[in-house]
Amino acid sequence: MSKTYDHHAIEVKWQAYWEEHRPFRAVEDASGPKFYCLDMFPYPSGSGLHVGHLEGYTATDIVSRYKRMKGFHVLHPMGWDAFGLPAEQYAVKTGIHPAMTTAQNIATFKRQMKRVGLSYDWERELSTTDHDYYRWTQWIFLQLFKRGLAYVAEVPVNWCPALGTVLANEEIVDGKSEVGGFDVIRKPMRQWVLKITAYADRLLDDLSLVQWPTSTLEMQKNWIGRSIGAEVEFGLAGIHGRIRIFTTRPDTLFGATYMVLAPEHPLVDAVTAPDRRQAVEAYRQAAARKSDLQRQELEKEKTGVFTGGYAVNPVNDERLPIWIADYVLLGYGTGAIMAVPAHDARDWAFAKTYALPIREVIAGGDVEKEAFVETEQGTVINSTTPDGRFSIDGLAPVDAIPKITAWLETIHKGRKSVNYKLRDWLFARQRYWGEPFPILWVEGQPKPIPEEQLPLVLPETTNFTPSGNGESPLANLEDWLSTTDPSTGKPARRETNTMPQWAGSCWYYLRFIDPKNTRQLVDPSKEQYWMPVDLYIGGSEHAVLHLLYSRFWHKVLYDIGVVTTLEPFKKLVHQGIVLGEDNQKMSKSRGNVVNPDEMIDRFGADAVRLYEMFMGPLEAMKPWSTRGVEGVTRFLERVWRLMVNEEGRLSAAIVSSTPNLEQQRILHQTIKKVTEDIEDLRFNTAISQMMIFTNEMTKLEHRPRSLIEPFVLLLSPFAPHITEELWAVLGHHPSISQHPWPEFDPALTVSDRLTIPVQINGKLRGRIEVGANAGRQEIEALARQEAAEWLQGKVPKKIVYVEKKLVNFVV
RNA sequence: GCGAGAGUGGCGGAACUGGCAGACGCGCGAGACUUAGGAUCUCGUGGGCAACCGUGGGGGUUCAAGUCCCCCCUCUCGCACCA
């Protein structure tokens, strides 16, 4: 195998040069614009980097290198989201401390990243497991606690017996734990919870401030799930009390024919009639036994039982039977609904099953066949109070909603109300390998540890097995556990929970700005200089949780004056998944995993980088092709031969003569295309333009230096090693990364000759060549000649002429 | 079911506001240089013998549709009884 250039030698050489001279160090310098270019930092797993990581990292690296050459001060850092379950599970199995495993994995990741030539400012490297880092994670928690945004609550949690821990809703997929696929049951437990719901409106509204993919914005909106409606109070027949319900459709209040409480609703006992008690109790127990998975499987079949109690509709004093059914959820709204089978699909299905009445109050559909749920169409009917003093009849539903809501307020039976799907964030984990809570329990009350005593360091141990009673392995460490309250001297017990992995990744982008600061989380002047993150690239698996949690913390930090931007991440892009060569998702069991180290060994880092970007659009899911890597390798070899001879010296083909106009044009078109494509993250088409340029240059016997040198600069963000070497061969001092980006002359990007297609009835019939300044008359005359054969003397009905673009004869 | 996005050669993919469909690369074919080539270079490569036909399918708007409008099909991602 003969190589025209030795990628291994060149890459090692220039990586050593960068290591020594640090051209990628970020500096705060008011003299120039800044650009903060961030990758989602990885969890350093045992299997090392995969080619999917590399896609996003290469993209941000190209942008960072490009921006530096454009004169920006660029912050391009990397770190490690290193707390987490895999290292802990490994520790349980082997007894090896998670810190050891983590350190080894980080070393591997870092080595691989350096091999790829990623231009990080390594002086800012951080790990969420560093004491100096999680000190500030704990500090943020204390601020949340002080503001009442962190509280302890007895909440039904997802308990996973196999993992011996509680899981967040987000860590459960199809009723099983996301990690391991174990069964999960519901169980009440005392837990730390963060009040993210207090920020629901801001989290929703401020999405208008960011440039994010529409799908991600939609997912965040759906997750927050704001819905505007009304709370309405229904009296109870025969007993004291009332049922509060939430509805988005108060316009259908006259159509309510029964009520439903969630099985766990506290009012169930009070409304249940003695003869129904047994049936109700049986149903409640059955519902409690159902796991989330079973509830989903039974989605189609609606079940419930009648309680024997009745509620009274406030608009017409009708008695409505009260049922319990598990299609009503305790956790949403008030855990109770009015059922309007005519205009709600779920109520309709339930009413059909139990032969409950269906009363139409919006005309426009056929409620015997299906529920009519439109609000934009239809007319309200049968909706006048018995005394005739209030009516919404004849209105469109959208107009009836505010009218009846306002009326309910005047009679003190209801009010406008907003509900969210978003729940408070269950923040505690029963694990060892996480940030300890800076909290002491004194006489049953949580007390924050004084800030100056942070960090509260994770104690050493060799036993990583969960305590088994729902507490973390920290509960086994008696010496650490028992302490005294520093302010009162009273005995205290430490909180044994640790924080979830999300905690550390919620704010790492801020610490990169000022990673060594011992006095503050971040220096305010540096924060003002670098924030917000201008470009953030990472996987779409974080479209909701990480991005929502970060935004929440950021807003809290904004409120306490630590940050000055409302949103942390201005522009966000998700790189697509890289599939195996067989078009299937890469997995060890399929054996289709592509190893980046192997690819770099064979083809070099530049070729791998280039291929990662040439595969297709950044956001698209696309298969790996090793043939494709060979293709871009050929391209790099052609570039090399363009200017280097067989002895490795500057080729005699490189001349100092002035290029002709046509040659200048291809250069300037290339500069324009590559520049614009990098700005829009369209790296695949930028590369194809550089291939076109290279193909043109290959044809030339004499290659003017003034064409070749700017081209090497254009290629350098994509293939930084080979271009450093070429830059040196061309007689320049390193580093090419510090040389200004070439500019294009717009006048030189357009040709002086135009090829105009000639169409007849929209079908292509020929082409004509004209000068760039040719006018309509000249072009039309030529086009007529070109089309004469097809026109056969017929006179065109119409001639469509598009300026410098096309002529079309309509006959 | 709801929400978002996407369907273009043998393959990955180009085509910014409607204006030459298939750039660039892979693969394939032919040739050149060679003892040799799985190196390199050159040429060709959507289908069809042709007229013509071609961007998931069917309608429509337009001088002109991959691009705009309506209906349908398929795939990917997310949510999943949220009242």
Side-chain angles (χ1 to χ4, degrees), chain A residues 515-736:
Chain A
K516 309 236 158 66
N517 195 329
T518 52
R519 296 177 349 273
Q520 290 163 298
L521 186 156
V522 60
D523 181 275
S525 64
K526 290 181 180 174
E527 186 276 334
Q528 280 192 41
Y529 182 77
W530 288 114
M531 283 302 284
V533 173
D534 295 282
L535 176 65
Y536 192 28
I537 297 187
S540 58
E541 67 272 20
H542 295 118
V544 179
L545 301 168
H546 158 62
L547 289 166
L548 195 66
Y549 295 153
S550 300
R551 294 180 60 228
F552 165 44
W553 278 29
H554 191 86
K555 286 177 191 304
V556 175
L557 292 172
Y558 177 87
D559 290 347
I560 63 178
V562 175
V563 300
T564 55
T565 64
L566 282 168
E567 285 287 329
F569 314 119
K570 190 159 94 184
K571 179 167 176 162
L572 169 74
V573 174
H574 302 299
Q575 83 275 13
I577 293 171
V578 179
L579 302 171
E581 302 234 22
D582 54 0
N583 243 301
Q584 302 287 313
K585 218 172 161 171
M586 282 192 201
S587 75
K588 276 188 200 143
S589 56
R590 275 204 194 84
N592 61 352
V593 176
V594 177
N595 179 335
D597 276 326
E598 187 200 320
M599 288 293 146
I600 294 170
D601 287 340
R602 283 175 65 187
F603 304 105
D606 286 333
V608 171
R609 291 170 62 110
L610 214 49
Y611 176 67
E612 291 266 3
M613 295 297 101
F614 189 58
M615 270 194 286
L618 183 61
E619 288 108 316
M621 183 188 288
K622 48 214 174 291
W624 184 267
S625 159
T626 302
R627 295 268 199 193
V629 189
E630 288 171 10
V632 295
T633 303
R634 280 200 275 275
F635 163 66
L636 287 175
E637 287 169 347
R638 271 207 304 282
V639 170
W640 179 264
R641 285 195 304 268
L642 224 42
M643 58 201 97
V644 182
N645 64 21
E646 307 206 336
E647 287 84 50
R649 307 253 170 103
L650 187 66
S651 162
I654 300 299
V655 296
S656 54
S657 61
T658 310
N660 68 32
L661 211 56
E662 202 49 55
Q663 292 166 347
Q664 289 182 50
R665 233 170 247 136
I666 178 85
L667 172 68
H668 284 261
Q669 283 165 356
T670 302
I671 298 173
K672 180 174 196 281
K673 180 84 176 137
V674 173
T675 305
E676 290 173 354
D677 281 354
I678 292 176
E679 292 280 356
D680 294 336
L681 311 179
R682 292 191 309 245
F683 305 108
N684 53 333
T685 49
I687 293 166
S688 92
Q689 180 64 35
M690 291 192 282
M691 287 171 167
I692 292 169
F693 179 88
T694 304
N695 293 343
E696 289 299 317
M697 289 302 113
T698 305
K699 290 179 196 158
L700 300 183
E701 231 171 291
H702 301 291
R703 297 161 195 151
R705 200 173 253 278
S706 61
L707 296 180
I708 295 297
E709 290 189 347
F711 169 73
V712 175
L713 289 166
L714 293 182
L715 182 60
S716 67
F718 295 83
H721 309 86
I722 190 175
T723 48
E724 287 276 17
E725 186 68 21
L726 291 171
W727 198 239
V729 170
L730 285 161
H732 297 286
H733 289 293
S735 159
I736 191 173

Side-chain angles (χ1 to χ4, degrees), chain A residues 82 153 218 347 389 457 510 748 787:
Chain A
E218 280 306 312
D347 298 344
R389 290 164 77 167
V457 175
L510 290 172
L748 281 172

Side-chain angles (χ1 to χ4, degrees), chain A residues 62-80:
Chain A
I62 290 167
V63 173
S64 297
R65 288 173 176 272
Y66 161 78
K67 288 283 182 184
R68 285 189 204 104
M69 292 171 81
K70 281 289 242 183
F72 286 78
H73 299 289
V74 172
L75 175 54
H76 186 40
M78 180 46 75
W80 319 106

